[in-house]
Amino acid sequence: MNDYLPETTPIWAGVEATLRELLTGYGYSEIRLPLVEQTELFARSIGAVTDIVEKEMYTFADRNGDSLTLRPEGTAGCVRACLEHGLLHNQVQRLWYLGPMFRHERPQQGRYRQFHQIGAEAFGMAGPDIDAELICLTARFWKCLGIQEVTLQLNSLGSSAARGAYRDRLVAFLEAHLDRLDEDSRRRLYSNPLRILDSKNPTMEPVLAAAPRLMEQLDPDSRRHFDGLLELLEVAGIAYEINPRLVRGLDYYGDTVFEWVTERLGAQATLCAGGRYDGLVEQLGGRPTPAIGFAVGLERLIALLSEAGYAGLKTDPDAYLVTVGEAAGRQGLMLAEQLRDRLPDLRLQLNCGGGNFKAQLKRADRSGARLALLLGEDEVKAGGVAVKFLREAQPQQTLPQERLTEFLAACLDDWRRLAEYNPIRAGEV
Ligand code: ATP
Ligand code: MG
């Protein structure tokens, strides 16, 4: 579980702001959910023999003896909330959420015990149009963040009947090659054989390459759905690879599944994973409701962006107010509060804790501020303020204090236009 320090939080803020704006732009509404749910919810939805439920959940008894679990993912809680608050009655819903998830995994690069996901869920739409929309939305995430080296992988897990029949064929095939299966795969052979296809162990590669493919045994409805999706992706100009071995680690998926993967992150290559889960709402006590969603792993996305030098949302102050002497300290506080009233988006850092002129200027520089505002004995007497540019070759000047608001407003106008220029709104992506 990580601490995220001030040097990296601007990257988080930038990513979150971009993704939030895109989700909102596609008509998705935010939903905020508790971090803890009844353990049973996850056992019933994710599946009892999945990695998550078998060995990754943080489960504890609360003071009443109820078994609770820190959420390992967002979909189950989202469906629970929708059912509890009647959000799915005869209507479609497009929802998104952002927050920490918890899994007791072996920590390694790109794999943590508390990690963050931004996810979206769309309910009530059965056709491939919504699958295509969600994929277009995720493609736009990468486009707007300037990420190029990602590939879309697609598969269809078919209907549950087709999956059942396929499962039997797969088990029979794997039984015939028992001596070539690794320990993990033998353990899963009867409990969760589809998951064996997802094995990352290279020694399993030749057996798995020869395994029968679910994609070749889809029933006509699933085939039509999948072909419909491929056609829409072509219309949208989104390139994809079909990966017949793509399965998800959670039991509730069927038909469309997809992942965005990158070669830049080593073994933990999946940035975003999603798929259709038409059976889950009913399984959790609601009326049958088609549904599809995805989740983006933010730590992996941010690792990729940091490596590419993405700056995120700048948080350095615009100005740093230096005050030397007691009278200047008093006047400085008043002036600062006045400026904050008049210029609500001004980022102004006030020197606190004293220090001589030189020491304070050093702090001003270290703060990253563009301007130092200087208030010494002379300025206090004259009702002025000296302005020193810290990042530009411009001469220092002294202004009457009552002109400072106007002066700063003009500076902010210029800087905001350059620094917080938003490529999404500017229509340049
Ligand atoms: P994997 O096979 O890598 O364990 P998963 O099937 O468990 O993946 P999902 O539950 O689909 O993953 O989660 C969606 C995304 O969340 C992943 O693609 C990844 O980006 C991120 N993610 C999942 N588990 C972790 C983790 N322990 N640490 C960091 N990110 C994670
Ligand atoms: Mg996992």
Side-chain angles (χ1 to χ4, degrees):
M1 298 190 186
N2 296 308
D3 299 310
Y4 297 101
L5 303 182
E7 68 193 45
T8 58
T9 49
I11 303 183
W12 283 80
V15 168
E16 288 165 5
T18 302
L19 302 192
R20 189 177 303 219
E21 184 154 334
L22 288 171
L23 283 155
T24 307
Y26 276 72
Y28 287 71
S29 307
E30 186 181 6
I31 185 164
R32 297 194 185 196
L33 302 160
L35 302 193
V36 193
E37 298 274 356
Q38 304 275 359
T39 304
E40 201 212 28
L41 174 71
F42 300 116
R44 272 171 64 201
S45 59
I46 297 172
V49 292
T50 55
D51 282 353
I52 293 181
V53 173
E54 266 188 340
K55 54 185 192 193
E56 294 176 359
M57 295 204 304
Y58 282 91
T59 295
F60 59 96
D62 75 356
R63 287 172 187 276
N64 302 328
D66 292 332
S67 180
L68 303 182
T69 293
L70 293 181
R71 63 181 188 191
E73 54 100 47
T75 303
C78 184
V79 171
R80 195 247 339 120
C82 284
L83 292 176
E84 202 168 313
H85 303 286
L87 298 190
L88 304 180
H89 285 317
N90 303 318
Q91 56 182 321
V92 301
Q93 280 290 350
R94 286 176 165 88
L95 301 170
W96 70 270
Y97 55 81
L98 160 72
M101 306 294 162
F102 304 85
R103 298 183 194 176
H104 193 271
E105 303 209 58
R106 188 171 67 78
Q108 52 198 291
Q109 198 194 15
R111 198 174 284 289
Y112 309 101
R113 290 180 172 177
Q114 175 176 324
F115 61 98
H116 296 76
Q117 289 183 337
I118 195 160
E121 316 287 353
F123 297 98
M125 291 160 277
D129 49 357
I130 187 67
D131 305 28
E133 178 188 275
L134 275 182
I135 290 173
C136 287
L137 168 58
T138 49
R140 197 169 294 277
F141 285 174
W142 323 136
K143 195 159 137 187
C144 289
L145 291 169
I147 294 173
Q148 276 157 3
E149 291 147 307
V150 281
T151 309
L152 172 63
Q153 299 199 344
L154 278 182
N155 192 18
S156 173
L157 299 179
S159 64
S160 67
R163 251 188 336 279
Y166 171 72
R167 186 194 144 106
D168 294 344
R169 286 196 52 192
L170 180 65
V171 171
F173 170 86
L174 293 171
E175 277 174 333
H177 297 91
L178 205 55
D179 53 324
R180 293 163 71 191
L181 301 190
D182 63 11
E183 198 190 309
D184 217 31
S185 304
R186 285 185 200 186
R187 190 174 58 79
R188 285 173 167 153
L189 183 55
Y190 300 104
S191 60
N192 197 354
L194 264 65
R195 195 56 174 153
I196 298 176
L197 297 173
D198 192 35
S199 166
K200 278 137 195 148
N201 182 351
T203 66
M204 292 284 296
E205 183 56 34
V207 197
L208 295 179
R213 294 182 167 185
L214 174 53
M215 181 61 85
E216 284 148 18
Q217 294 160 47
L218 295 180
D219 45 79
D221 282 349
S222 293
R223 186 75 246 172
R224 243 192 319 276
H225 185 98
F226 195 59
D227 289 341
L229 172 61
L230 300 186
E231 200 183 309
L232 289 171
L233 292 178
E234 268 145 42
V235 169
I238 293 187
Y240 57 81
E241 278 173 14
I242 293 178
N243 175 357
R245 274 163 44 193
L246 181 67
V247 292
R248 308 259 0 95
L250 297 77
D251 268 1
Y252 50 63
Y253 288 106
D255 282 317
T256 312
V257 287
F258 65 95
E259 285 192 3
W260 286 96
V261 297
T262 174
E263 284 178 3
R264 299 197 64 100
L265 288 178
Q268 312 324 319
T270 305
L271 277 183
C272 168
R276 186 164 272 283
Y277 53 93
D278 291 342
L280 183 62
V281 175
E282 189 180 13
Q283 199 180 312
L284 292 180
R287 277 194 287 194
T289 306
I292 179 167
F294 67 77
V296 176
L298 291 179
E299 276 77 4
R300 295 182 194 175
L301 182 57
I302 280 158
L304 195 65
L305 288 166
S306 307
E307 190 193 290
Y310 171 81
L313 273 191
K314 179 181 156 349
T315 51
D316 290 344
D318 300 305
Y320 188 102
L321 181 52
V322 169
T323 65
V324 185
E326 260 175 54
R330 277 193 298 275
Q331 198 169 89
L333 177 64
M334 207 175 65
L335 185 63
E337 288 302 308
Q338 218 170 56
L339 289 169
R340 295 185 209 284
D341 282 339
R342 294 177 183 163
L343 298 171
D345 72 331
L346 173 71
R347 291 195 287 254
L348 175 65
Q349 194 163 316
L350 176 63
N351 186 79
C352 289
N356 63 23
F357 182 74
K358 199 171 155 213
Q360 292 194 39
L361 255 190
K362 213 167 169 183
R363 286 183 207 145
D365 189 47
R366 239 185 284 133
S367 77
R370 285 185 171 250
L371 289 181
L373 306 175
L374 314 174
L375 217 50
E377 236 169 80
D378 293 348
E379 285 79 12
V380 168
K381 270 192 213 130
V385 57
V387 177
K388 185 178 169 61
F389 288 84
L390 300 173
R391 318 285 154 201
E392 287 143 278
Q394 285 214 45
Q396 180 169 326
Q397 46 182 297
T398 301
L399 301 171
Q401 286 177 16
E402 62 274 10
R403 282 209 38 226
L404 190 56
T405 307
E406 187 193 338
F407 173 84
L408 288 173
C411 293
L412 289 180
D413 240 25
D414 281 355
W415 298 335
R416 296 290 191 264
R417 223 175 313 131
L418 297 171
E420 278 176 17
Y421 153 83
N422 180 335
I424 302 173
R425 230 176 265 130
E428 290 200 359
V429 287

